Amino acid sequence: MLIYDLDYPTLTSTLKEWNEPAYRAKQIWQGLYQHLYNSPEQFTTLPKSLREKMTENFTFMPFSVKVYQDSSDKSTRKTLFELPDGNLIEAVLMRYGDPADNPQITAAAPQSMMRGAKNRRTLCISTQAGCAMGCVFCATGQLGYKRNLSSGEIVAQVMYYAQMLKEHNEVVSNVVFMGMGEPFHNYDNTMAAIDRLNDSDGYNFGARRFTISTVGLVPQIRRFADEKRQVNLAISLHAIDDDARTEMMPVNKRYKIDDVLEACEYYVAMTSRRITFEWALINGVNDTPEIAKKLASKLRGLMCHVNAIPLNPTAGFDGKATDRQRADVFKETLEQAGIPCTIRMRRGIDINAGCGQLAGANS
Ligand code: SAH
Ligand code: SF4
């Protein structure tokens, strides 16, 4: 049993079955999520017999590191994990700001300082092995669907990097569900992972520091809105007319752009939170000023902003990335029409840090 798969009530009842006093659950929870222990031996406040029982019954690392790569500027680390069933998943660490700022941070520093923009340490993690959605430009989509990750397998990716950062007195500041898989296609496990990491007696990672990115599954967007979570939501849009979007993203046959946008309006109404639209800029395909104008007119009135990212080229798709100049024109056109836009230059291109790319190259 993977220990990160347990929620607190289940851990409590497991320890009760083992005839352990109730406070042991709290000690283990704090060891896992506050001290970031990753083996039973580290739980030195527990009796040896209990540590042995933990060793017999729990695993702490649900995957092995198959390969990792650092970008040439060392700001980005991408890790490919192999699950016991042979499936491969990826998780990426991106360091923003001056790396020299971060080691000064100590555990005693206030959260706001530790997690300030200057010292951002963003994790991009996976929710599924492969993906069923088949977006043609996406390396994960090109791999196809393998399986859902359990909540613990999602949590473990965060813990892996949190433990690594801790060695340098650094902390994770943001978690984005933009690795492999479609989080809303694995809704329950994704939310359970968020809840576990959010627990104020445990890792205490604020809801607003998570971002879920979805291909646009309408019922789940509405469900998410109804739950009024504080988690950020990003929608992968990439095209503004249905034919073009269906060509790139087969899911659009089922959920048309207007249905997705209606669900987005519902989300904003329910949560009062701004929504993000993701736009992979493909040279000559979806990066013209005409398309930017059309996009702006569709989004007008919605509390949103557009995150445009030049396409990361993949083996199975022959589109090219938009250059900086065209990207800037796209941004200006949107902004003149009243829609805020940021251009995010892709990180770690030199290590194939686009989603699914490392798994594709190693399977
Ligand atoms: N399945 C979710 C989250 C994982 S993909 C989703 O699709 O939103 C994370 C983001 O990367 C999405 O916006 C996706 O459209 C984008 N993406 C996938 N492949 C890409 C590529 N080759 N270049 C640029 N962005 C890409
Ligand atoms: Fe799946 Fe997202 Fe890739 Fe589409 S872009 S195939 S939804 S991971």
Side-chain angles (χ1 to χ4, degrees), residues 124-128 130-131 133 135-142 176-185 212-216 234-238 249 277-282 307 309-314 317 344 346 354-357:
C124 175
I125 63 169
S126 297
T127 54
Q128 298 179 313
C131 182
M133 298 297 134
C135 305
V136 296
F137 51 84
C138 169
T140 310
Q142 291 157 18
V176 302
F177 293 90
M178 293 187 188
M180 295 172 81
E182 166 50 43
F184 279 176
H185 191 213
I212 289 186
S213 173
T214 177
V215 73
I235 309 282
S236 300
L237 201 55
H238 308 316
M249 305 168 75
F277 292 101
E278 287 168 279
W279 196 274
L281 288 162
I282 310 172
N307 231 341
I309 310 148
L311 179 82
N312 214 356
T314 57
F317 180 67
R344 260 200 305 144
R346 276 245 161 203
C355 91
Q357 293 193 325

Side-chain angles (χ1 to χ4, degrees), residues 202-234:
Y203 192 55
N204 195 20
F205 198 80
R208 289 170 185 224
R209 299 189 176 277
F210 292 100
T211 299
I212 289 186
S213 173
T214 177
V215 73
L217 302 181
V218 167
Q220 287 89 327
I221 296 171
R222 290 182 175 272
R223 176 175 171 192
F224 188 70
D226 286 333
E227 290 171 1
K228 292 200 170 68
R229 290 172 179 275
Q230 294 298 298
V231 171
N232 302 302
L233 184 62

Side-chain angles (χ1 to χ4, degrees), residues 150-274:
S150 71
S151 58
E153 289 169 331
I154 298 171
V155 168
Q157 295 169 62
V158 177
M159 289 297 113
Y160 172 82
Y161 278 115
Q163 288 155 7
M164 177 189 291
L165 287 172
K166 194 178 179 215
E167 287 171 23
H168 308 277
N169 279 331
E170 298 177 27
V171 293
V172 180
S173 55
N174 299 82
V175 171
V176 302
F177 293 90
M178 293 187 188
M180 295 172 81
E182 166 50 43
F184 279 176
H185 191 213
N186 186 16
Y187 193 93
D188 291 341
N189 292 346
T190 300
M191 296 310 151
I194 289 174
D195 290 342
R196 207 155 302 143
L197 293 165
N198 182 225
D199 184 77
S200 54
D201 295 323
Y203 192 55
N204 195 20
F205 198 80
R208 289 170 185 224
R209 299 189 176 277
F210 292 100
T211 299
I212 289 186
S213 173
T214 177
V215 73
L217 302 181
V218 167
Q220 287 89 327
I221 296 171
R222 290 182 175 272
R223 176 175 171 192
F224 188 70
D226 286 333
E227 290 171 1
K228 292 200 170 68
R229 290 172 179 275
Q230 294 298 298
V231 171
N232 302 302
L233 184 62
I235 309 282
S236 300
L237 201 55
H238 308 316
I240 204 60
D241 82 76
D242 277 317
D243 288 344
R245 191 166 189 266
T246 301
E247 235 175 73
M248 291 161 70
M249 305 168 75
V251 72
N252 197 70
K253 276 183 239 151
R254 180 115 182 246
Y255 302 116
K256 298 275 181 286
I257 293 172
D258 285 346
D259 300 335
V260 173
L261 293 180
E262 235 177 76
C264 292
E265 272 168 33
Y266 181 71
Y267 167 83
V268 172
M270 292 297 283
T271 62
S272 305
R273 292 185 71 75
R274 186 173 78 154

